Amino acid sequence: FSYTHPLSDGPCATSLDRIIRHLLEVATPHFPALREARYAEWWAHCRPHPSGHQMHFDSDDEGIGGARHPICSCVTYVDGAEDVGGPTLVTTQRLGDRALGASGCLVY
């Protein structure tokens, strides 16, 4: 379900290497701490439409033992038919908030 991908300075060996390297190049100016990152996590879903995905906070090991959040999270749709899947909801809710996020946006 979830995979850890080591980051390296060497040549890209796979298409996934190229995608992750591109995302790092785009995101690092906005999140300078990414210069210290050594791994990227990626995952993929294959679920019946419209089964969706549970709401969650990005964190290491499902938050067991306390939440450790990534330096940066991004959602990238590498491939997919136009009539499959749906947008990603990003809200202003933070871990520990007693109320739901006051706003959010749907990202296609």
Side-chain angles (χ1 to χ4, degrees):
F1 173 78
S2 176
Y3 305 92
T4 302
H5 190 90
L7 302 175
S8 69
D9 294 329
C12 293
T14 66
S15 295
L16 188 59
D17 286 334
R18 287 183 187 89
I19 292 166
I20 291 172
R21 182 87 45 94
H22 177 72
L23 292 171
L24 273 172
E25 289 171 4
V26 170
T28 299
H30 305 282
F31 299 91
L34 285 172
R35 290 184 183 95
E36 305 301 319
R38 298 294 168 251
Y39 297 92
E41 177 192 29
W42 67 273
W43 49 265
H45 287 294
C46 183
R47 295 185 175 158
H49 185 72
S51 64
H53 187 72
Q54 75 274 11
M55 299 290 283
H56 67 279
F57 293 97
D58 282 351
S59 65
D60 182 40
D61 199 19
E62 302 289 326
I64 296 170
R68 285 186 347 152
H69 303 296
I71 298 167
C72 172
S73 292
C74 77
V75 177
T76 304
Y77 295 92
V78 178
D79 189 25
E82 289 185 28
D83 62 343
V84 175
T88 297
L89 174 64
V90 179
T91 74
T92 57
Q93 185 176 355
R94 294 178 176 261
L95 189 64
D97 285 356
R98 293 179 181 243
L100 296 176
S103 64
C105 61
L106 291 175
V107 182
Y108 290 86

